[in-house]
Each structure stands twice: as structure tokens, then as C-alpha cells.
Amino acid sequence: MKRIRKFLKSDKGATAIEYGLIAALISVVIIAALQLTGTSLQKVFNNVGSVLSNSVGSN
């Protein structure tokens, strides 16, 4: 009975679950931010690539 009471009073599992939920939430926010900025970054890198290609081609 003491083990069962001790197990029910323990909060180590709850703390681990809370940390897991926080990590999952941070992951979702990072993924959403990358998806929102992904198109803009792609345009920037394409622009830089085309400018570099044009400057190398003109020499």
C-alpha cells in the first residue's frame, strides 16, 4: 500500500509530461514560423543567385 500511495503522490511523471508539451509547442511555433518565412527567403535567395549568375556571366 505504501508503494501505491507513494506512486500516486509522485509528480515526476507530470513534470516530464509538462516538459514534453512545452517542447512540442516550441516545435510547432518554429515550424509555423519557418513555413511563413520560407517563401520570402526563397525569393531572396533566388534573387541573390540570379544577380550572382548575371555578374559572373557578364565578365
Side-chain angles (χ1 to χ4, degrees), residues 2-57:
K2 287 183 182 181
R3 282 186 170 180
I4 293 173
R5 286 187 194 145
K6 186 177 179 181
F7 176 75
L8 292 175
K9 289 183 182 180
S10 175
D11 61 350
K12 290 181 182 178
T15 304
I17 291 172
E18 290 169 358
Y19 284 132
L21 290 173
I22 291 170
L25 180 63
I26 291 171
S27 305
V28 168
V29 169
I30 290 172
I31 290 170
L34 288 175
Q35 285 183 346
L36 290 174
T37 60
T39 306
S40 301
L41 286 175
Q42 184 177 11
K43 289 178 184 177
V44 169
F45 284 120
N46 285 339
N47 187 24
V48 169
S50 65
V51 167
L52 288 174
S53 293
N54 291 338
S55 66
V56 169

